[in-house]
Amino acid sequence: MTGIASLIRQGTPSALGVTPGVTEHAEDYAATGGYGDTLSAAELLDRIADAGLRGRGGACYPTAAKLRAVRDAGRRPVVVANGEEGEPGSVKDRWLLRARPHLVLDGLARAAEITGAERGYVYLSDTTAAERVRRALAERAPHLPVEIVHTPHTYVAGEETAVVRRIDGGPALPTAKPPRPYEQGVGGAPTLVTNVETLARIALLAARPDHGYRTARTTLLTLAGGDADPVLAEVPYGHTLRSLARAQGTPEPAGALLGGLFGGLIGPGSLDLVLDPDALAAAGTALGCGAIRFLGPDECPVSLASAALSHLAAESARQCGVCVAGTGAIRDALATLTTGTATPDIAGRLERWSTSLPGRGACGLLDAAAGTAGSLLRSFPHLVRSHLDAPCPACDAAAGSGDRLTVAVPGVARRAVPHQRTSAPCPR
């Protein structure tokens, strides 16, 4: 990935910062309003609620409601900055930890003040991000003790119960719910497990409360696909998906895979949908973690769906028999479509799985697999039928193209000397 772009209005607080190409020092962050005392914890919580800030980890749950639930749970809570991105098409969280660790730590400290937490954790798998966070903690430690917890990088490692399990010394695997972490999490304490971009936006809102609505309605996106380089972009809600494709460099997409692997496939007729969690949910898709992969004009959606299911099946935690069997069955069925060996009943089987499997696993992996199958049927039914007649040349060409889902984190240089001014990369 080479591009870092901003489509937000000038003057709106930016998660990308002033110099996206280098790691920000504590002095530089404080000079832009970071670590300030503009609002009390109670005032900040009210501003978060008024702005309508939602989580950026995938579920888009109202942040103020989550903070209140942890605060009111009855015991001294714990706060966790969740920087483990399981979605292969997302890079925003690792980038934030590498480039703007103080922004994330400031947000974590403010979440601790709101909830009354006595300790915090930064949970991640990226070694470069861990080094930058450790350095930031040495430069300016928050008021509460913060520990960095490493985890192996997997699709399910960032699920909130897997986060708690790993911090408590176990494997990063989901557990049955209830209880949810806000009720009983790390060490049995009520625990706020919050995506690092959510924390970053809490810190931005604290620094500029007069821009709370804009801050809450702006998001980081990982845009990829076609023949163009992926782009990490900061975008306000309201842009169409088609305009984002053009900004990324895929001017005539044949559709898109939204929300990482969670939002499913949409066809070209849906590209005029606007970037907004509610609008996308009403259309049967999801913004999720903000990863959008556009289909090139000559790319086959069946092949992309098959690649997504292969990834999900390989990443299964293998704790739930229904997930292992269901995800594997969908993977195998889609593979027969790409090779022209599918049987005529495949559409019926995919439809049955897409409606019967969601909600039956311990985490969202099975839901993502079933949702991908269902979205392929809804958005591209004619292609599913045509793949029964003959092998697909586009699927055949893609078979040897390697990993098409994983996006690399943009480079962030470690600035050696505080206040050294380095030019930021040109926006795409």
Side-chain angles (χ1 to χ4, degrees):
M1 172 184 280
T2 58
I4 296 178
S6 178
L7 301 180
I8 63 174
R9 291 169 55 183
Q10 188 172 6
T12 300
S14 171
L16 292 179
V18 178
T19 54
V22 294
T23 297
E24 190 172 49
H25 273 283
E27 294 87 348
D28 299 317
Y29 178 63
T32 62
Y35 293 126
D37 295 323
T38 54
L39 300 172
S40 69
E43 290 170 333
L44 178 56
L45 179 58
D46 288 341
R47 295 296 182 95
I48 292 169
D50 292 343
L53 180 64
R54 298 188 187 186
R56 295 300 197 270
C60 292
Y61 190 77
T63 301
K66 195 170 183 179
L67 288 164
R68 289 192 181 106
V70 173
R71 181 197 63 185
D72 299 339
R75 291 182 55 192
R76 182 70 75 174
V78 173
V79 289
V80 180
N82 185 4
E84 173 47 27
E85 290 175 297
E87 292 283 2
S90 179
V91 299
K92 66 182 181 67
D93 297 332
R94 284 167 289 170
W95 183 89
L96 279 170
L97 291 170
R98 291 182 183 191
R100 305 209 66 191
H102 286 286
L103 181 66
V104 176
L105 291 171
D106 190 5
L108 183 67
R110 294 179 189 278
E113 291 172 3
I114 291 170
T115 60
E118 62 181 4
R119 66 187 190 279
Y121 296 88
V122 179
Y123 177 84
L124 44 69
S125 63
D126 184 68
T127 55
T128 301
E131 184 268 329
R132 304 293 165 84
V133 173
R134 193 173 290 110
R135 189 161 170 248
L137 288 169
E139 289 175 355
R140 178 165 180 162
H143 296 305
L144 77 164
V146 174
E147 181 181 341
I148 298 171
V149 176
H150 285 262
T151 183
H153 178 65
T154 66
Y155 186 84
V156 301
E159 195 272 340
E160 62 176 1
T161 62
V163 172
V164 169
R165 195 173 179 184
R166 178 65 177 173
I167 293 175
D168 277 342
L173 297 174
T175 59
K177 299 173 280 289
R180 297 223 173 236
Y182 79 87
E183 298 167 311
Q184 183 178 325
V186 176
T191 301
L192 180 78
V193 179
T194 305
N195 172 263
V196 298
E197 187 191 348
T198 310
L199 294 171
R201 297 212 170 272
I202 289 174
L204 291 172
L205 199 153
R208 293 291 304 275
D210 54 323
H211 286 280
Y213 183 74
R214 289 189 195 174
T215 298
R217 293 187 60 81
T218 301
T219 196
L220 291 175
L221 301 176
T222 311
L223 306 174
D227 294 324
D229 289 337
V231 176
L232 176 63
E234 189 165 24
V235 182
Y237 294 163
H239 282 269
T240 66
L241 299 178
R242 194 180 304 278
S243 70
L244 296 177
R246 290 171 181 158
Q248 181 264 334
T250 307
E252 298 296 335
L257 180 65
L258 263 66
L261 304 182
F262 193 78
L265 289 157
I266 61 168
S270 297
L271 290 169
D272 290 318
L273 287 169
V274 296
L275 184 73
D276 179 274
D278 292 334
L280 293 174
T285 183
L287 180 60
C289 63
I292 304 175
R293 190 194 186 286
F294 296 105
L295 283 152
D298 299 321
E299 192 172 9
C300 182
V302 174
S303 175
L304 186 59
S306 180
L309 261 296
S310 292
H311 182 87
L312 289 169
E315 289 290 310
S316 170
R318 312 197 76 77
Q319 293 186 129
C320 307
V322 67
C323 178
V324 174
T327 305
I330 300 172
R331 174 202 60 202
D332 295 344
L334 290 179
T336 65
L337 275 177
T338 65
T339 57
T341 59
T343 56
D345 66 339
I346 189 170
R349 286 186 286 132
L350 291 174
E351 175 65 27
R352 184 172 68 254
W353 290 326
S354 72
T355 57
S356 65
L357 292 178
R360 297 180 62 186
C363 67
L365 187 144
L366 181 58
D367 292 8
T372 300
S375 67
L376 178 65
L377 292 175
R378 289 192 304 272
S379 300
F380 301 98
H382 60 293
L383 290 179
V384 174
R385 290 192 298 269
S386 70
H387 280 63
L388 296 175
D389 300 329
C392 170
C395 287
D396 186 59
S401 59
D403 186 357
R404 301 153 61 198
L405 300 172
T406 301
V407 174
V409 183
V412 181
R414 173 173 168 171
R415 184 187 290 170
V417 181
H419 305 301
Q420 175 185 339
R421 299 303 174 192
T422 305
S423 298
C426 295
R428 289 182 59 86

